[in-house]
């Protein structure tokens, strides 16, 4: 039997990415990152992101096809991130996927970006249900329970800023550059958590609020400078990282027990964080829960994860018409509504 070939496109933020799978196996994974172009603004500029996706999509597609040694007429379905993400950026990927599906008369598969982040773990280990997914990125912070494949229930989320956004804003006030997660993670290892900072974990349930922590750190840095006092940057990074990640891990542990999960999956850009990875690896096995920790290439945005989830969506017959639009605020539970 011929093995199904899926070509997937991702353009929800600042990575233009195309990946190809055959029989679920990854043949190519081309990523064109715009980070260098956004660095001078200290964050992603949405309009610039859309323009760069338009410039980069064709050669990224060409690279993925050449790397996989696949022709467009051999592709069985075209998958694309429909949301959540930046509206203009999403439109570029969607337009490319629609055009290809139309020309080659093949199904168009609409893919939820965060659900795909969770499915990235399948490149290292099969998902085991029920599972808890800790989805932490520049735009999202969610605790998701999955009872089975393609079943998502958000039990907790941030009420304001995402954890990655908080890392980036703290890095900005400390002049550590963009994106802020990597330098803070690196400096935190050389410091001690001596600063007392407010926890982003809300008292009840599984929700978070990161804006209070962000504002507290920004005020602390500005006030210390104004008083002409010395700031211990490694210690501040260690304190920030500890309070931010501890909140995620402690709520995750509580949720994992309440929902009796077998596995915990970490997903999204912040899942590259060394302290989060070591805490999950240390704490969850102690309560008999298997950690699924994807390699770093799987954590940040790419299209391999879009293709992985698209294979499951294809089996369910989740195909879109050519009037498909993007949804910057698409909820994970609504992934069948498009
Ligand atoms: O999922 P992602 O690639 O894209 C967006 O959601 O935009 O996540 C990017 C985020 C950024 O906020 C970045 O600072 C953060 O992931 N990040 C990290 C680390 N590496 C990247 N945060 C904490 N520790 C890291 N090692």
């Amino acid at each position: 039997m011929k093995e199904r070939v899926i070509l997937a496109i991702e353009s929800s933020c600042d990575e233009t990415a195309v990946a190809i799978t055959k029989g679920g196996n990854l043949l190519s994974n081309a990523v064109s990152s715009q980070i260098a172009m956004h660095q001078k603004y200290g964050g992603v500029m949405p309009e610039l992101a859309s323009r760069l996706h338009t410039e980069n999509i064709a050669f990224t597609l060409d690279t993925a096809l050449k790397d996989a040694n696949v022709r467009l007429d051999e592709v069985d379905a075209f998958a694309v991130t429909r949301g959540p993400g930046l509206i203009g950026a999403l439109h570029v990927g969607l337009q490319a996927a629609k055009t290809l599906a139309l020309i080659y008369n093949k199904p168009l598969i609409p893919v939820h970006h965060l659900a795909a982040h969770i499915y990235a773990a399948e490149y290292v280990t099969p998902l085991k249900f029920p599972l808890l997914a800790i989805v932490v990125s520049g735009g999202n912070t969610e605790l998701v329970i999955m009872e089975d494949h393609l079943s998502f229930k958000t039990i907790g989320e941030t009420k304001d800023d995402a954890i990655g956004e908080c890392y980036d804003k703290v890095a900005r006030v400390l002049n550590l550059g963009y994106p802020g997660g990597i330098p803070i993670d690196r400096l935190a290892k050389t410091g001690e958590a001596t600063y007392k900072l407010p926890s982003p974990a809300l008292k009840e349930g599984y929700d978070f609020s990161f804006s209070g922590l962000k504002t507290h750190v920004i005020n602390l840095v500005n006030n210390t400078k104004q008083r002409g006092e010395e700031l211990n940057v490694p210690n501040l990074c260690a304190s920030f990282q500890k309070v931010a990640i501890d909140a995620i891990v402690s709520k995750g542990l509580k949720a994992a027990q309440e929902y009796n999960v077998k596995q915990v999956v970490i997903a999204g850009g912040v899942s590259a964080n060394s302290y989060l990875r070591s805490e999950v690896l240390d704490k969850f096995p102690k309560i008999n829960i298997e950690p699924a920790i994807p390699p770093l290439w799987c954590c940040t945005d790419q299209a391999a994860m879009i293709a992985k989830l698209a294979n499951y969506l294809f089996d369910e017959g989740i195909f879109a018409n050519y009037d498909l639009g993007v949804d910057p605020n698409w909820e994970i539970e609504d992934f069948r509504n498009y």
Side-chain angles (χ1 to χ4, degrees):
M1 200 182 81
K2 176 179 173 291
E3 288 185 303
R4 180 198 300 152
V5 176
I6 290 199
L7 186 149
I9 300 178
E10 152 67 34
S11 69
S12 65
C13 191
D14 58 349
E15 264 90 32
T16 318
V18 180
I20 299 172
T21 55
K22 185 172 187 178
N25 297 315
L26 190 60
L27 297 185
S28 66
N29 187 31
V31 182
S32 165
S33 177
Q34 308 174 357
I35 285 182
M37 312 295 279
H38 295 285
Q39 255 158 357
K40 54 177 170 281
Y41 305 103
V44 177
M45 292 289 283
E47 206 281 329
L48 177 62
S50 313
R51 246 186 299 146
L52 292 172
H53 283 306
T54 311
E55 283 176 22
N56 298 341
I57 187 82
F59 80 76
T60 310
L61 176 65
D62 191 42
T63 305
L65 289 163
K66 284 187 177 136
D67 288 353
N69 198 19
V70 162
R71 294 186 317 270
L72 279 169
D73 62 12
E74 293 173 315
V75 174
D76 296 305
F78 295 93
V80 64
T81 305
R82 178 187 174 251
L86 302 171
I87 189 162
L90 287 164
H91 266 294
V92 179
L94 180 66
Q95 207 47 49
K98 263 190 200 180
T99 307
L100 291 168
L102 181 65
I103 292 172
Y104 292 94
N105 193 24
K106 291 287 157 61
L108 174 67
I109 305 178
V111 181
H112 192 283
H113 181 80
L114 297 186
H117 264 306
I118 301 171
Y119 272 82
E122 283 229 310
Y123 282 110
V124 286
T125 183
L127 299 183
K128 295 189 187 96
F129 306 103
L131 69 75
L132 166 73
I134 298 178
V135 186
V136 276
S137 71
N140 299 277
T141 308
E142 292 192 8
L143 297 184
V144 178
I145 296 289
M146 290 181 70
E147 294 289 345
D148 204 344
H149 277 297
L150 304 184
S151 144
F152 306 96
K153 184 178 171 204
T154 303
I155 56 158
E157 61 193 338
T158 180
K159 292 290 164 201
D160 37 60
D161 298 342
I163 182 170
E165 194 181 338
C166 193
Y167 262 94
D168 295 339
K169 296 282 161 55
V170 167
R172 178 141 84 177
V173 75
L174 292 172
N175 289 321
L176 298 177
Y178 173 82
I182 295 167
I184 290 181
D185 195 3
R186 194 183 58 236
L187 281 166
K189 287 182 192 148
T190 66
E192 275 175 57
T194 52
Y195 288 90
K196 196 164 164 28
L197 303 174
S199 170
L202 295 182
K203 265 211 176 73
E204 303 297 324
Y206 296 112
D207 288 337
F208 306 92
S209 163
F210 278 91
S211 76
L213 173 60
K214 175 190 75 181
T215 310
H216 188 101
V217 175
I218 292 172
N219 289 343
L220 187 141
V221 172
N222 291 337
N223 293 341
T224 308
K225 276 187 197 155
Q226 261 169 18
R227 288 198 297 265
E229 290 168 10
E230 190 84 17
L231 192 71
N232 187 321
V233 176
N235 284 4
L236 184 56
C237 289
S239 311
F240 166 74
Q241 175 141 297
K242 183 162 170 44
V243 80
I245 301 295
D246 282 354
I248 302 281
V249 173
S250 67
K251 287 231 184 267
L253 285 165
K254 204 170 138 224
Q257 282 166 309
E258 185 184 332
Y259 289 87
N260 223 350
V261 305
K262 290 201 176 83
Q263 193 181 45
V264 57
V265 175
I266 57 169
V270 181
S271 66
N273 186 265
S274 63
Y275 180 54
L276 175 64
R277 294 167 91 85
S278 70
E279 283 292 281
V280 169
L281 270 175
D282 177 46
K283 302 247 155 71
F284 283 85
K286 286 183 181 149
I287 53 168
N288 292 321
I289 294 168
E290 178 195 305
I293 313 272
L296 293 183
W297 72 265
C298 273
C299 295
T300 45
D301 287 349
Q302 22 70 29
M305 65 184 191
I306 307 299
K308 178 60 82 180
L309 175 52
N311 275 284
Y312 287 92
L313 299 173
F314 190 110
D315 290 338
E316 290 270 306
I318 297 189
F319 303 133
N321 295 326
Y322 298 132
D323 62 355
L324 181 71
V326 302
D327 185 349
N329 303 309
W330 205 13
E331 298 283 347
I332 196 166
E333 282 105 341
D334 286 340
F335 79 98
R336 288 174 197 273
N337 299 329
Y338 46 87

